[in-house]
């Protein structure tokens, strides 16, 4: 059974009430429930963690060694600022998929830079909560057959 770790970065715990015109009205718990349902369907084991702290994301990536076979990560604002997160992904060598709810290229210029872009296997953005579900489907190609 493939094992997938989903990491949600800062402020994503506020989904549902946070800038609904940008992020919609779906809550993080609903996204996690949809992911859990799809994981069951695809016969995958899934763990999901949200944190507001960059160092905690680094710790989670390091601790994923030996368990996760794919990491799906929405680093939220740290996408545009963090060197530590891509360094951690490189260090552990676990294939990662970057996810965003919004189309960051249609927003402020500072959101158009991702420090993870060169480290992840692929990026899915702009589809709202569906971005995560597409990422989970895509994750299967990085799992041992
Ligand atoms: C986000 C986009 C980021 O620019 C922003 O800081 C977020 C959410 C997204 O999912 O669209 O917090 O990662």
């Amino acid at each position: 059974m493939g094992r997938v770790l989903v990491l949600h970065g800062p402020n994503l715990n506020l989904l549902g009430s946070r800038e609904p015109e940008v992020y919609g009205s779906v809550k993080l718990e609903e996204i996690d429930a949809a992911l859990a349902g799809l994981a069951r369907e695809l016969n995958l084991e899934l763990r999901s963690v949200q944190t507001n702290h960059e160092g905690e994301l680094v710790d989670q990536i390091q601790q994923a060694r030996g368990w996760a076979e794919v990491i799906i990560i929405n680093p939220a604002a740290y996408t545009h600022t963090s060197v530590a997160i891509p360094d951690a992904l490189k260090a552990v060598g676990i294939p990662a998929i970057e996810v965003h709810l919004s189309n960051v290229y249609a927003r402020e210029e500072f959101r158009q830079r991702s420090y993870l872009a060169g480290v992840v296997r692929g990026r899915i953005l702009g589809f709202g909560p569906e971005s995560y579900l597409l990422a989970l489907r895509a994750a299967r190609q990085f799992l041992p057959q």
Side-chain angles (χ1 to χ4, degrees), residues 9-12 18 22-23 74-80 99-104 107-108 110-111 126 132:
N11 299 308
L12 295 173
R18 175 192 181 197
V22 177
Y23 298 114
N74 182 349
Y78 291 135
T79 309
H80 321 297
V99 160
H100 299 282
L101 296 151
S102 64
N103 176 3
V104 287
R107 302 181 62 194
E108 300 96 322
F110 69 84
R111 294 186 202 276
Y132 284 97

Side-chain angles (χ1 to χ4, degrees), residues 2-80:
R3 295 182 299 268
V4 179
L5 174 66
V6 179
L7 295 176
H8 306 284
N11 299 308
L12 295 173
N13 54 314
L14 300 181
L15 285 178
S17 62
R18 175 192 181 197
E19 299 181 81
E21 65 289 355
V22 177
Y23 298 114
S25 56
V26 175
K27 294 188 163 86
L28 189 61
E29 303 85 78
E30 296 174 271
I31 293 176
D32 278 341
L35 280 168
L38 181 60
R40 271 194 297 277
E41 209 180 285
L42 301 177
N43 202 28
L44 301 173
E45 217 179 311
L46 187 105
R47 241 187 241 168
S48 185
V49 175
Q50 189 277 328
T51 173
N52 292 323
H53 306 282
E54 183 179 11
E56 176 66 17
L57 287 168
V58 170
D59 286 344
Q60 288 290 336
I61 292 166
Q62 291 187 9
Q63 287 160 17
R65 270 180 305 184
W67 187 80
E69 292 163 303
V70 178
I71 295 175
I72 293 173
I73 182 166
N74 182 349
Y78 291 135
T79 309
H80 321 297

